[in-house]
């Protein structure tokens, strides 16, 4: 009996994986060459778009973290595809270029990903007014930067941030992300320009923010201060601070509040 159940579960998982693989597109963001150079021609930007069987029209661009020095493409990227696809949401996992001190590079890639989703909205069964951005750690900094600064067809309609780097203030930023993005000795004006809590406006999109109180990599104050800035501008925002979990759990079910977190996110997504 146990073997039979295991076989059934395995077949369901396999069929889901095959279904996802069959509904995937790989899109090069800059086939004619990127507008900003990070001095590494081998580092190309692309997005991996996964389509649900039955689309509800919503889409989300997922930005993995990695301190602006690499990308955690699995637990902060691809592993989220079944969760969203099962709700009818299209997922675009973004492989953005590393800045290498050229601060415009990652946000240029993320903005182009959102713009392309809007351009392809009809063909890909996407509602152009329901496209969000999601980011983890440094990817959360990228997502919040786009959410607070992008304009026109590149502006997201909502943002989802997991244990995000928000500020570039050396007092409580993640210095690895800071240095990789801005260099080791940026001007104070550059740090301010890339500090999300300083750039919230009344039209900044609604936010869902997840933190762990014991995060010793990115101070939780990053997300808390961002929430406070959103609140002051009357931007709808939801903040969850879990007692434990540290940093970098993403979709890993070893996170003690994994199921609770997914339930909270699902409820939030269904609220608008």
């Amino acid at each position: 009996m146990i073997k039979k159940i295991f076989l059934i579960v395995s077949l369901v998982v396999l069929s889901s994986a095959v279904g996802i693989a069959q509904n995937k597109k790989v899109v090069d963001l800059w086939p004619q060459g990127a507008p900003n150079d990070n001095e590494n021609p081998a580092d190309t930007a692309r997005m991996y778009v996964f389509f649900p069987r039955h689309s509800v029209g919503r889409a989300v661009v997922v930005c993995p973290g990695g301190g602006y020095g690499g990308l955690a493409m699995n637990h902060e990227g691809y592993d989220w595809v079944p969760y969203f696809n099962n709700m009818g949401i299209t997922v675009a996992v973004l492989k953005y270029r590393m800045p290498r001190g050229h601060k415009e590079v990652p946000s240029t890639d993320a903005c182009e990903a959102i713009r392309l989703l809007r351009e392809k909205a009809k063909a890909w069964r996407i509602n152009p007014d329901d496209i969000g951005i999601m980011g983890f750690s440094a990817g959360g900094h990228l997502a919040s930067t786009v959410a607070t600064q992008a304009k026109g067809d590149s502006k997201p309609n909502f943002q989802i941030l997991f244990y995000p780097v928000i500020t570039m203030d050396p007092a409580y930023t993640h210095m690895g992300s800071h240095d990789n993005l801005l260099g080791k000795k940026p001007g104070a004006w550059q740090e301010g320009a890339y500090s999300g809590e300083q750039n919230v406006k009344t039209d900044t999109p609604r936010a869902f923010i997840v933190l762990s109180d014991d995060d010793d990599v990115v101070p939780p104050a990053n997300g808390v201060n961002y929430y406070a800035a959103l609140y002051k501008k009357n931007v709808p925002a939801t903040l969850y601070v879990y007692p434990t979990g540290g940093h970098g759990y993403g979709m890993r079910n070893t996170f003690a509040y994994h199921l609770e977190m997914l339930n909270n996110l699902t409820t939030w997504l269904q609220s608008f």
Side-chain angles (χ1 to χ4, degrees), residues 257-270:
Y257 300 93
H258 176 73
L259 293 178
E260 182 179 353
M261 174 271 293
L262 290 180
N263 286 334
N264 291 334
L265 178 55
T266 300
T267 299
W268 182 79
L269 286 166
Q270 294 172 345

Side-chain angles (χ1 to χ4, degrees), residues 118-171:
R118 286 205 168 96
E119 180 181 282
K120 299 289 187 180
K122 184 175 182 181
W124 291 354
R125 299 178 298 159
I126 293 171
N127 177 354
D129 297 320
D130 198 6
I131 298 174
I133 191 164
M134 178 179 189
F136 303 79
S137 194
H141 180 267
L142 174 56
S144 63
T145 298
V146 172
T148 54
Q149 299 191 28
K151 301 183 186 334
D153 287 345
S154 294
K155 188 178 183 66
N157 300 105
F158 59 91
Q159 54 181 316
I160 303 169
L161 309 176
F162 275 68
Y163 39 86
V165 179
I166 294 292
T167 191
M168 288 288 108
D169 182 343

Side-chain angles (χ1 to χ4, degrees), residues 28-209:
D28 288 330
L29 296 186
W30 308 110
Q32 306 303 320
N36 293 305
D37 183 16
N38 68 351
E39 301 179 15
N40 182 5
D43 186 12
T44 57
R46 60 179 61 94
M47 63 178 175
Y48 301 84
V49 187
F50 298 85
F51 301 97
R53 294 184 185 279
H54 304 288
S55 175
V56 298
R58 178 168 286 174
V60 60
V61 174
V62 180
C63 305
Y68 284 129
L71 293 174
M73 293 292 287
N74 292 320
H75 68 286
E76 294 178 351
Y78 303 129
D79 292 350
W80 284 86
V81 171
Y83 168 78
F84 284 112
N85 277 182
N86 286 339
M87 288 191 287
I89 299 172
T90 298
V91 184
V93 179
L94 179 62
K95 187 270 174 190
Y96 56 93
R97 293 170 295 150
M98 297 299 98
R100 296 165 59 90
H102 298 269
K103 57 188 182 299
E104 302 89 356
V105 167
S107 55
T108 299
D109 292 347
C111 285
E112 179 65 4
I114 294 172
R115 191 198 68 78
L116 281 172
L117 288 180
R118 286 205 168 96
E119 180 181 282
K120 299 289 187 180
K122 184 175 182 181
W124 291 354
R125 299 178 298 159
I126 293 171
N127 177 354
D129 297 320
D130 198 6
I131 298 174
I133 191 164
M134 178 179 189
F136 303 79
S137 194
H141 180 267
L142 174 56
S144 63
T145 298
V146 172
T148 54
Q149 299 191 28
K151 301 183 186 334
D153 287 345
S154 294
K155 188 178 183 66
N157 300 105
F158 59 91
Q159 54 181 316
I160 303 169
L161 309 176
F162 275 68
Y163 39 86
V165 179
I166 294 292
T167 191
M168 288 288 108
D169 182 343
Y172 60 104
T173 190
H174 175 251
M175 288 307 298
S177 300
H178 172 283
D179 293 353
N180 285 332
L181 183 69
L182 302 179
K184 293 188 176 182
K185 294 183 179 180
W189 69 270
Q190 290 179 309
E191 291 173 337
Y194 282 84
S195 292
E197 80 281 7
Q198 297 185 36
N199 292 287
V200 172
K201 308 172 192 65
T202 55
D203 65 345
T204 296
R206 68 180 66 230
F208 179 91
I209 307 167

